[in-house]
Amino acid sequence: MKVEGNHFRSIWFDEESKAVNIIDQRVLPHEFKIISLDTLKDFEIAIKHMAVRGAPLIGATAAFGMACQMRRDPSDECINISWERLHRTRPTAINLKWALDRCRTELLKTQEKTRAEISMELAKKIANEDVEINRNIGIHGLNIIQEIARRKSSSEPVRLLTHCNAGWLATVDWGTATSPMFQAHENGVPIHVWVDETRPRNQGALTSWELQNYGISHNYITDNAGGHLMQHGLVDMIIVGTDRTTSCGDVCNKIGTYLKALAAKDNGVPFYVALPSPTIDWTVRNGVEEIPIEERVETEVSWIHGLDKSGRVTKVKVTPDGSLGFNPAFDVTPAKLVTGLITERGVCDASESGLRALFPDLEKVSL
Ligand code: MRU
């Protein structure tokens, strides 16, 4: 997608320098900084400390991490150690395991001397596939937005609400939840986006930055505002992303998503989840019981960062000394609260039968 008119992906292999580059999301939206990753440690830190984040991007980054490591040591042992170390970085998004499993399986079938090249090609393939998946999610999501637009008067925008950043920064390109928004905008369908700030890390600021770059009308709102807006008929549709969706359609996403789904149910607002197929975990059924929820450091809650009056990025503490925060990073929205899953193959019910009908081939491969 575009940053001040220039096209970027969130991760790319620079053919000239032979480096893997990322946009450092720890300093966005205040600073646009590109950094190169090379060693396994670089990749571990980038994922763990969220220089890269968002389920699909975490998966693609891990694949590039494996590829860079193969340039140093293409042994079976190194494949297994790299898998372990990268897998340990973040526990909830299943795309990480999906990408690492795919790399390990492919590499163990090949000779050591070819592994550096094959793994880099595979990482690029995973990244390119992600772009195509998200573009298709956008096309299917656009149909839903257009349907809502047809029911409104022509000048009125379709009002969407999203939580966290399931935007292009969270994927390789397009985003999942934002892809229908970008495509609506490109197709001249007027939209307005309510962007949840998404405490504690305020990923909503990333979404706002993405929308701002395209001139898409939006407001950054507190996490608590959504219910009120829904009660007053100001939200036509919610679209969120997912870090792991079970085979029965339970959706694990950024903390606070569940509360939005509850409020949506109470107010009859359609609640859609943009779901790329690598985010389906076919091995789990009950999201609340089976998905590991990442617990991050309490300082993410008790401190916030932003620009001070002089324009410098700074951190300030919001809690009194001695008050400790608690920081579960994800929650699970049960399938019964989800109106539909927008996948790259079309829209389905959040149910076992819905997912099976769209992905009969994938389920067999993964189990
Ligand atoms: O902790 P984060 O910022 O990695 O969490 C990201 C989310 O929860 C996204 O909504 C999810 O990964 C979907 S990204 C297309």
Side-chain angles (χ1 to χ4, degrees), residues 12-185:
W12 67 97
F13 180 69
D14 186 299
E15 300 289 345
E16 249 172 56
S17 64
K18 304 287 175 214
V20 173
N21 291 338
I22 60 161
I23 299 166
D24 187 349
Q25 299 191 29
R26 290 167 299 190
V27 294
L28 277 176
H30 306 299
E31 206 184 315
F32 184 75
K33 188 169 145 196
I34 292 167
I35 53 175
S36 297
L37 307 178
D38 179 23
T39 65
L40 192 60
K41 192 90 203 148
D42 290 343
F43 282 88
E44 285 177 284
I45 290 171
I47 299 173
K48 198 175 174 59
H49 296 298
M50 296 175 65
V52 288
R53 42 150 298 283
L57 179 56
I58 293 171
T61 306
F64 278 111
M66 181 69 89
C68 285
Q69 200 57 6
M70 288 298 97
R71 299 196 288 210
R72 288 191 182 81
D73 174 3
S75 66
D76 287 8
E77 194 192 2
C78 182
I79 293 172
N80 289 323
I81 290 172
S82 305
W83 189 101
E84 288 294 338
R85 283 178 51 182
L86 289 164
H87 185 246
R88 229 180 280 139
T89 51
R90 293 194 74 188
T92 302
I94 195 65
N95 305 59
L96 179 59
K97 180 172 184 297
W98 171 86
L100 286 169
D101 281 350
R102 187 166 164 190
C103 292
R104 179 164 66 180
T105 307
E106 284 296 311
L107 290 173
L108 290 177
K109 281 192 235 159
T110 61
Q111 290 183 331
E112 283 195 11
K113 59 175 190 284
T114 61
R115 284 178 180 169
E117 197 186 328
I118 286 176
S119 58
M120 191 52 83
E121 286 313 308
L122 181 56
K124 288 187 218 164
K125 188 166 179 230
I126 286 173
N128 289 336
E129 283 174 8
D130 181 64
V131 177
E132 205 42 34
I133 285 173
N134 300 330
R135 204 178 60 78
N136 282 309
I137 286 175
I139 291 168
H140 298 299
L142 171 62
N143 290 336
I144 302 171
I145 296 175
Q146 279 173 327
E147 182 53 42
I148 296 171
R150 274 193 281 275
R151 297 198 297 264
K152 296 171 87 83
S153 79
S154 62
S155 57
E156 235 190 305
V158 176
R159 289 152 311 183
L160 304 151
L161 183 145
T162 193
H163 190 68
C164 193
N165 171 260
W168 69 266
L169 288 166
T171 64
V172 178
D173 211 345
W174 284 105
T176 59
T178 56
S179 184
M181 299 174 193
F182 289 125
Q183 300 206 27
H185 185 68

Side-chain angles (χ1 to χ4, degrees), residues 182 221 277 284 361:
F182 289 125
I221 58 172
S277 59
V284 299
D361 47 334

Side-chain angles (χ1 to χ4, degrees), residues 207-281:
T207 306
S208 294
W209 181 77
E210 290 182 3
L211 298 174
Q212 181 75 17
N213 266 288
Y214 275 75
I216 298 178
S217 166
H218 65 281
N219 289 113
Y220 184 72
I221 58 172
T222 63
D223 290 324
N224 298 324
H228 166 77
L229 294 176
M230 290 182 228
Q231 281 177 328
H232 289 269
L234 296 171
V235 183
D236 298 306
M237 174 185 182
I238 296 175
I239 318 182
V240 297
T242 168
D243 287 82
R244 192 186 298 217
T245 290
T246 72
S247 59
C248 296
D250 289 349
V251 172
C252 183
N253 190 49
K254 180 54 56 195
I255 192 80
T257 303
Y258 171 50
L259 287 175
K260 291 294 131 72
L262 285 172
K265 188 75 169 177
D266 195 42
N267 290 284
V269 174
F271 182 93
Y272 283 94
V273 176
L275 167 67
S277 59
T279 311
I280 305 168
D281 185 347

